[in-house]
């Protein structure tokens, strides 16, 4: 079930802070960054593999399967970086598995097209965030990660598949627009989990968890605003409203 989180409207930017936030200030320690990225990568691979079995078209099924294999390969390239930091895949699952699994559960679609919409929106926003956060890594790690994240096959395949389906069934577009809006809040909560807030969040006591969450997102607003802007572009490219 999607969590409630208030997002800025598309026309609210004039009244909001235009301050930019250097993503490097939000980059967590390398083991946390690489660990979460590795877990996301293998999770995407697993989801694509499952979707390849439910796709109604054989050509699309093959494309999803091949893309799944590429994500598995990218995960394999991240493992040595983690090994150098004395972090094992088993430790990753224990540390980060619950967070991403909760996200996948909350954003699960009711059919193949909603699952593709999740690929397009949720995985797209998360990969956008990891690309930005890579700025805080050492040069060698940043170059490797940026290379792994430079491919946009998932976005292109999801976009072309959804665009064609919506063109054939306008009612599907209305449902996917609603679904796309629903999953953004959960995605932003996961993005909050992947960043380090130590350099941007003033220390102090909070009345409750809700008060702390509001403070966290207020500090992150310049960063999340950029991610939401990119999300709006994705929706526009499908002819849908964010």
């Amino acid at each position: 079930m999607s969590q409630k989180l208030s997002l800025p409207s598309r026309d609210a930017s004039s009244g909001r802070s235009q301050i930019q936030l250097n993503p490097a200030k939000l980059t967590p320690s390398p083991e946390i960054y690489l660990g979460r990225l590795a877990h996301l990568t293998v999770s995407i691979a697993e989801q694509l593999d499952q979707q390849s079995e439910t796709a109604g078209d054989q050509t699309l099924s093959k494309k999803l399967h091949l893309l799944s294999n590429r994500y598995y390969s990218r995960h394999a390239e991240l493992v040595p970086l983690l090994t150098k930091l004395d972090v094992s895949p088993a430790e990753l699952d224990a540390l980060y598995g619950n967070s991403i699994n909760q996200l996948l559960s909350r954003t699960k679609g009711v059919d193949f097209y909603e699952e593709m919409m999740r690929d397009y929106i949720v995985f797209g926003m998360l990969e956008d965030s990891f690309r930005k956060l890579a700025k805080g890594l050492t040069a060698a790690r940043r170059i490797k990660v940026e290379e792994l994240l430079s491919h946009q096959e998932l976005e292109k395949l999801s976009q072309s598949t959804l665009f064609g389906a919506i063109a054939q069934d306008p009612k599907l577009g209305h449902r996917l627009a609603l679904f796309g809006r629903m999953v953004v809040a959960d995605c932003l909560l996961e993005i909050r989990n992947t960043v380090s807030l130590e350099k941007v969040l003033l220390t102090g006591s909070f009345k409750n968890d809700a008060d702390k969450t509001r403070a966290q997102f207020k500090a992150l607003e310049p960063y999340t605003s950029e991610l939401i802007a990119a999300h709006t572009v994705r929706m526009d490219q499908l002819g849908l409203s964010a």
Side-chain angles (χ1 to χ4, degrees):
M1 181 178 179
S2 242
Q3 293 195 20
K4 297 290 185 181
L5 179 65
S6 177
L7 302 179
S9 70
R10 298 178 68 184
D11 300 321
S13 59
S14 61
R16 306 183 76 86
S17 172
Q18 299 300 311
I19 299 173
Q20 291 187 331
L21 181 59
N22 183 357
K25 290 185 176 181
L26 300 172
T27 309
S29 62
E31 61 271 20
I32 293 177
Y33 175 94
L34 293 169
R36 285 191 174 277
L37 177 58
H39 200 87
L40 172 65
T41 303
V42 76
S43 295
I44 294 175
E46 291 168 352
Q47 294 300 308
L48 290 172
D49 199 24
Q50 292 174 18
Q51 289 165 20
S52 71
E53 297 176 359
T54 59
D57 178 83
Q58 280 193 339
T59 300
L60 178 57
S61 177
K62 184 177 180 179
K63 289 179 179 179
L64 288 165
H65 181 67
L66 290 173
L67 186 53
S68 171
N69 287 341
R70 292 191 189 105
Y71 271 91
Y72 278 122
S73 295
R74 289 168 199 168
H75 176 262
E77 291 187 60
L78 288 167
V79 170
L81 300 180
L82 286 159
T83 303
K84 291 180 181 179
L85 295 169
D86 295 323
V87 180
S88 71
E91 289 177 295
L92 295 181
D93 190 60
L95 289 170
Y96 312 120
N98 187 53
S99 178
I100 191 69
N101 289 341
Q102 283 186 355
L103 175 66
L104 293 176
S105 176
R106 291 187 182 120
T107 61
K108 183 173 178 60
V110 298
D111 61 12
F112 175 79
Y113 290 112
E114 286 192 4
E115 291 289 285
M116 289 294 290
M117 192 68 172
R118 178 174 67 180
D119 295 348
Y120 188 56
I121 298 301
V122 175
F123 295 152
M125 289 184 72
L126 287 172
E127 288 191 330
D128 273 355
S129 181
F130 275 107
R131 273 189 287 269
K132 292 178 180 294
L133 295 176
K135 293 180 180 179
L137 299 174
T138 61
R141 292 188 184 115
R142 185 182 71 249
I143 291 171
K144 181 61 178 177
V145 166
E146 287 179 343
E147 177 190 347
L148 293 175
L149 290 172
S150 65
H151 309 284
Q152 294 184 302
E153 302 108 317
L154 179 55
E155 180 171 333
K156 291 175 182 177
L157 179 58
S158 301
Q159 183 186 114
S160 62
T161 302
L162 292 168
F163 189 83
I166 292 169
Q168 292 183 3
D169 181 5
K171 290 183 179 179
L172 175 64
H174 295 306
R175 176 159 64 88
L176 293 181
L178 178 60
F179 181 78
R181 287 192 288 271
M182 287 174 57
V183 299
V184 171
D186 290 300
C187 187
L188 289 176
L189 287 168
E190 177 62 14
I191 287 169
R192 185 273 312 267
N193 293 339
T194 66
V195 303
S196 173
L197 291 162
E198 294 178 0
K199 295 180 181 178
V200 299
L201 184 64
L202 296 176
T203 57
S205 59
F206 301 100
K207 297 178 183 178
N208 47 47
D209 288 343
D211 189 40
K212 182 178 181 180
T213 297
R214 280 192 292 269
Q216 289 173 334
F217 276 102
K218 184 176 181 180
L220 281 174
E221 186 178 336
Y223 181 74
T224 56
S225 291
E226 293 183 9
L227 297 174
I228 292 170
H231 159 68
T232 299
V233 171
R234 287 192 184 92
M235 295 291 277
D236 286 344
Q237 288 171 338
L238 291 179
L240 306 178
S241 176

